[in-house]
Amino acid sequence: MNLRGRHLLSLDDYSSEEISYLLDLSAELKRMKRSGIRPKNLDGKNIALIFEKPSTRTRCAFVVACVDEGAHPEYLGKSDIQLGKKETVADTARVLGRMFDAIQFRGFKHETVVGLAKHAGVPVWNGLTDKYHPTQVLADFLTVQEQFGHLKGITFAYIGDGRNNMANTLLIGAAKMGMDFRIVAPKSLFPEDEIVELGNKFAKESGAKITLTEDVKKGVKDCDVLYTDVWASMGEEAEMQTRIKLLKPYQIDMNMVKATGKENPIFLHCLPAFHNNDTEYSKEIGAMEVSEEVFESRYSKVFDQAENRMHTIKAVMVATLGK
Ligand code: CP
Ligand code: NVA
């Protein structure tokens, strides 16, 4: 399969075969790294990493993957460049495109990453926008594939803020890959119609099933995967108190894990997570979207998932830019 020169802005524009190819390549690159093989598929490439928002996993995954494959990563933080402030997205894209072989963007507006892709003349990868987080979902699906051996037919519930970047991207990815996918959330946090319509369109082609429900018991029944994310995403901090009230019944705890009725369901979270009171943000309220008990349980695969960010991001770079 040839993905050379392609952007990765959203999973919308990747077919299920292309997603499977990226997952298989990720697994292969993971095996190679573990055997000490570094093929240097990106030898001599220069990669710009633009970050308007903070990041631990995405930034580190890109940097380590670049260095493993022989590329040079250049971190451009929010106060380092003129993007959108003193210079247009189009001009920044054309300048960076003359110097770099590819660009990663993490930030607020999805239109910014679309604008960069339109004008840069080199591959642009979305490292999270308010709308989508496609490199995360590749890591999530690799983790599911490692645990269950396949994606088609997997029963997958996303519980919590059903209209954020994670919910949107998982819905589209699950629809493409033929899963039985549920959004379990209060109605006011159901995904936007545009996302549901896209999901239903892909579901028709793949045999996937998409359900939106407020009912936790019904939503998690028979699920192989329980997934959640923070209740207020980056940029929505002012919403935190309202969300805590609204989403309290949607915390993933042991009762919810048992309500799946499965012996070995898995718990996933893109991280960072509020699972105890050991962070500045959670010191008063304690665990939010997931209980400490579930987070630290045998069901939790969140650190495999975090590691897989690196292998999947490496696969995206190698496939779209490699030799
Ligand atoms: N999951 C994720 O994107 O983590 P970071 O915000 O640390 O990059
Ligand atoms: N929905 C979260 C995901 C973090 C990886 C956010 O945008 O803050």
Side-chain angles (χ1 to χ4, degrees), residues 166-186:
M166 283 315 310
N168 292 345
T169 318
L170 284 166
L171 192 155
I172 287 174
K176 292 232 168 192
M177 303 316 283
M179 296 185 193
D180 174 348
F181 180 79
R182 300 104 184 256
I183 294 273
V184 186

Side-chain angles (χ1 to χ4, degrees), residues 152-164:
K152 201 170 169 64
I154 287 287
T155 35
F156 193 123
Y158 173 93
I159 302 124
D161 177 7
R163 37 135 300 284
N164 72 7

Side-chain angles (χ1 to χ4, degrees), residues 53 106 128 133 164-166 229-230 232-234 270-272:
K53 288 177 177 172
R106 161 172 290 203
L128 180 147
H133 197 5
N164 72 7
N165 41 20
M166 283 315 310
D229 183 12
V230 288
S233 288
M234 288 181 272
C270 54
L271 305 182

Side-chain angles (χ1 to χ4, degrees), residues 7-46:
H7 304 297
L8 175 61
L9 308 184
S10 148
L11 294 181
D12 303 13
D13 24 80
Y14 277 69
S15 68
S16 59
E17 291 77 19
E18 288 168 343
I19 294 171
S20 294
Y21 168 76
L22 286 173
L23 298 179
D24 292 345
L25 180 60
S26 309
E28 177 64 18
L29 292 167
K30 184 171 180 176
R31 273 192 294 278
M32 281 191 191
K33 171 138 180 158
R34 294 209 163 152
S35 339
I37 305 166
R38 302 279 193 281
K40 306 284 178 209
N41 288 301
L42 301 173
D43 199 20
K45 304 287 187 195
N46 289 292

